[in-house]
Amino acid sequence: MIRRFFSYYRPYKKLFILDFSCAVLLALLELVFPMAVNQVIDRLLPGKDWSIIMLATAGLLLFYIINTLMHYVVTYWGHMLGINIETDIRQELFEHIERQSFHFFDNNKTGHMMSRLTTDLFDIGETAHHGPEEIFIAIMSLLGAFFLMLTINWKLACITFVLVPILGSFIIMFNIKMTRASDQIYQDIAVFNANVENAVGGIRVVQAFSNEDYEKKRFRENNKLYRKAKLFSYKIMATSVTTNYFFMRLITLFTLISGAWFVIHGELSSGQFVAFLLLSNIFVQPIQNFNAVIELYPKGIAGFKRFLQLKSLAPEIVNSEQAITVPSIEGRINYTNVSFGYEGKKQVLNHINLHIHSGETVAFVGPTGAGKTTLCSLLPRFYDVTEGKITIDDIDIRDFKLSSLRSHIGLVQQDVFLFSGTLRENVAYGKLDATDEEIWHVIRLARLEKTVLNMPDGLDTVVGERGVKLSGGQKQRLSIARMFLKDPSIVILDEATSALDTETEAAIQQSLEQLAKERTTLIIAHRLATIKNADRIIVVTEHGITEQGTHEQLLKRDGVYSRLYESQFTMNM
């Protein structure tokens, strides 16, 4: 894990060397000051030469100016190094999440993913900056100060060092506890974020069912769990800080008492005594730095561990080694002995065989849960078949590059997702470099022109989160316009007109029929009146494909389709 962590320093070698070099020089220069004080007290003061004392002071002033500049470098450029690494890790994680299959998103909450991309990574930047630097400098300062203390008086140096191993054992113990506590905090934050995202995102449902009190109670419970985890970590931190404070002051006290004894017995000069006291403070400082790193390290490492856990989940749907880019397709589709089940559960599709001609409009009907949507979701490889294969123009879809495959397929779903930007941005998502002329053309095709012209800001009208400012019909027409703009060779319409009134549905049906010309079109529909003109209607039940033919042919068979049609016709009457 540490090797993986340090690999993120590679692009910023120069920045790391600059930061690290300045930090090391700072630590070395700090060791110079006590020795300079020793010389001033023992050599310059007895001589009473004011000019030499002033010259020495000017030298120390230059020393402080250099230190100040290096402090700036370490503080600003060092943090830049940390932020760069944090940014790279966040970008890498986002791209990894985007490569995951629908299975992954079926089983992971949005709030958890948000937590992984934000909270989990907050302390990684600080750890990247302070971790290696502080540990190395602390060890160097500790050994440097101890060496200088040995040169002044080896007996006093050894007495001072006695308490360090005891303090070190406490630091290690608290580090282990803090790592566990930090990991629990990140888990609690993920749950907390997921619950907040659900409550806020579903506020209309909450208020419609008058369940505000229930959501308040749930939030209160989650808030208390988060508070409890945070308090536990602060309790460990407080114990660690106070224990370290006590032992560090004990070291200073030992030095003061022991040093005084050596001065009284003539084994230490006054200048050496003062220098030794200053060195003991430098000797203690690395231990304080260790403690600061120990507080930070568990948070950064806990976040990095969770990052690695998510990174270890390989995407299920990937390009094969021989995957190719296909610039254009005719749209012939073959399902050959296709079987599929979600996560090893009961098979939804069993040994499906189906041939769809180029330019043919095929409608799938049947009871809910029979596998109609699944059959169409396998075509763009949102999921991979468990058995058999699907081909387009006699090429196995697993031999297409994913981007190439999906560029030829347009999808309009029943559950329309709109981004929280403007109408223009949502339509243009079908073709990111589309001109206004192209956007208006598809808006007219989707029978949305009048609606847009009546809006206060036209195409620049903000649709709100998930298109909340639009009606269900307007959202579906917007998604249809987006699909028109993509101009795919294969079109999948999953209940694409289910939220429309009869008049608008009839108008859009004409546009969809126009779009379907010379394109392969797959339609999933429950309202059978909308698919009468399909070239072929396929009836899918839990037993697979049970019937297929035109609307008139299926009615004459007096089978499943005929019964479905009659039941809908009776209900409409």
Side-chain angles (χ1 to χ4, degrees), residues 54-299:
M54 285 298 292
L55 190 63
T57 305
L60 284 175
L61 177 62
L62 180 62
F63 156 82
Y64 280 129
I65 290 171
I66 295 169
N67 260 20
T68 301
L69 293 173
M70 285 193 290
H71 265 297
Y72 179 83
V73 171
V74 170
T75 304
Y76 178 70
W77 295 98
H79 279 102
M80 181 188 288
L81 169 69
I83 290 169
N84 287 349
I85 290 172
E86 179 188 338
T87 303
D88 288 351
I89 290 174
R90 183 173 287 113
Q91 184 68 32
E92 185 179 323
L93 185 58
F94 177 77
E95 291 174 6
H96 181 73
I97 290 172
E98 280 215 317
R99 288 195 297 270
Q100 297 297 323
S101 69
F102 277 25
H103 268 150
F104 174 84
F105 297 102
D106 292 343
N107 297 315
N108 288 279
K109 297 177 181 178
T110 303
H112 283 196
M113 292 303 100
M114 288 296 297
S115 183
R116 292 292 183 95
L117 284 165
T118 53
T119 313
D120 284 16
L121 304 182
F122 281 162
D123 292 305
I124 283 182
E126 286 297 298
T127 305
H129 170 212
H130 293 291
E133 176 186 295
E134 294 286 359
I135 290 171
F136 179 82
I137 291 168
I139 293 170
M140 188 187 72
S141 299
L142 193 71
L143 294 176
F146 184 62
F147 173 76
L148 291 175
M149 289 160 76
L150 282 173
T151 61
I152 294 172
N153 189 297
W154 70 269
K155 296 177 186 176
L156 186 54
C158 290
I159 291 171
T160 305
F161 195 76
V162 167
L163 293 174
V164 173
I166 302 171
L167 184 56
S169 63
F170 274 105
I171 288 173
I172 293 169
M173 181 183 70
F174 288 127
N175 176 39
I176 294 169
K177 288 185 177 181
M178 277 297 291
T179 301
R180 290 173 185 163
S182 296
D183 193 48
Q184 184 61 48
I185 286 171
Y186 285 134
Q187 290 178 37
D188 289 342
I189 289 174
V191 173
F192 182 81
N193 286 346
N195 288 328
V196 170
E197 195 263 339
N198 273 336
V200 175
I203 192 64
R204 286 161 183 80
V205 177
V206 172
Q207 292 183 357
F209 284 87
S210 299
N211 280 338
E212 290 92 341
D213 289 340
Y214 170 71
E215 291 298 335
K216 287 176 188 175
K217 183 180 177 183
R218 285 184 66 193
F219 184 85
R220 191 178 296 115
E221 289 170 358
N222 288 316
N223 211 12
K224 283 180 179 178
L225 286 174
Y226 178 51
R227 174 183 176 274
K228 185 179 178 181
K230 289 282 282 185
L231 280 177
F232 178 65
S233 72
Y234 283 129
K235 185 178 182 180
I236 296 170
M237 187 187 299
T239 309
S240 172
V241 169
T242 51
T243 303
N244 291 333
Y245 174 82
F246 174 74
F247 274 99
M248 284 187 288
R249 293 299 170 262
L250 210 57
I251 290 171
T252 304
L253 190 61
F254 261 51
T255 305
L256 184 65
I257 294 171
S258 304
W261 190 88
F262 281 109
V263 171
I264 290 169
H265 288 80
E267 294 186 35
L268 203 66
S269 69
S270 298
Q272 287 176 324
F273 180 43
V274 173
F276 207 98
L277 279 173
L278 292 173
L279 283 170
S280 70
N281 285 327
I282 294 174
F283 183 71
V284 168
Q285 187 61 44
I287 300 172
Q288 289 177 317
N289 291 346
F290 267 127
N291 198 38
V293 172
I294 291 305
E295 288 176 23
L296 181 64
Y297 176 85
K299 297 176 186 176

Side-chain angles (χ1 to χ4, degrees), residues 16-29:
F16 176 74
I17 291 168
L18 174 67
D19 171 50
F20 200 78
S21 301
C22 287
V24 169
L25 282 171
L26 271 173
L28 289 172
L29 289 172

Side-chain angles (χ1 to χ4, degrees), residues 305-496:
K305 279 171 67 179
R306 284 165 63 79
F307 160 73
L308 291 181
Q309 285 168 6
L310 191 50
K311 276 283 291 178
S312 67
L313 297 176
E316 294 178 21
I317 311 295
V318 294
N319 290 322
S320 63
E321 289 183 6
Q322 68 271 20
I324 57 173
T325 298
V326 180
S328 63
I329 61 171
E330 293 177 17
R332 294 191 314 277
I333 302 170
N334 270 312
Y335 288 78
T336 306
N337 204 32
V338 168
S339 296
F340 177 78
Y342 291 98
E343 297 182 340
K345 296 177 183 175
K346 182 183 175 183
Q347 294 285 83
V348 178
L349 302 173
N350 283 290
H351 306 293
I352 299 294
N353 289 284
L354 176 64
H355 176 70
I356 300 171
H357 301 287
S358 173
E360 187 179 15
T361 297
V362 176
F364 296 92
V365 301
T368 302
K372 303 183 298 296
T373 298
T374 301
L375 201 62
C376 292
S377 294
L378 293 174
L379 188 61
R381 289 190 72 197
F382 294 148
Y383 303 92
D384 262 343
V385 298
T386 49
E387 286 183 52
K389 68 175 181 178
I390 302 171
T391 63
I392 296 176
D393 295 352
D394 301 323
I395 304 171
D396 192 320
I397 59 171
R398 288 169 292 197
D399 292 333
F400 281 82
K401 285 188 176 178
L402 281 170
S403 58
S404 177
L405 172 67
R406 292 170 182 172
S407 70
H408 298 305
I409 301 172
L411 176 64
V412 179
Q413 294 174 299
Q414 180 180 6
D415 182 20
V416 176
F417 182 89
L418 297 180
F419 297 95
S420 57
T422 63
L423 280 166
R424 185 197 309 276
E425 290 167 345
N426 274 282
V427 175
Y429 209 76
K431 183 184 176 184
L432 297 175
D433 59 349
T435 63
D436 276 8
E437 185 180 345
E438 289 174 312
I439 291 172
W440 276 111
H441 175 65
V442 298
I443 282 175
R444 282 189 285 271
L445 286 174
R447 303 299 192 269
L448 199 59
E449 183 179 21
K450 187 176 178 182
T451 303
V452 176
L453 290 173
N454 288 335
M455 289 182 172
D457 298 315
L459 283 176
D460 295 316
T461 301
V462 176
V463 300
E465 188 174 4
R466 295 183 66 90
V468 70
K469 294 182 180 180
L470 304 179
S471 69
Q474 288 170 339
K475 285 195 283 188
Q476 280 202 314
R477 279 183 280 171
L478 191 58
S479 70
I480 289 168
R482 184 163 61 191
M483 187 269 291
F484 271 121
L485 192 59
K486 186 177 181 180
D487 193 24
S489 299
I490 296 173
V491 178
I492 300 173
L493 306 173
D494 188 353
E495 294 289 339

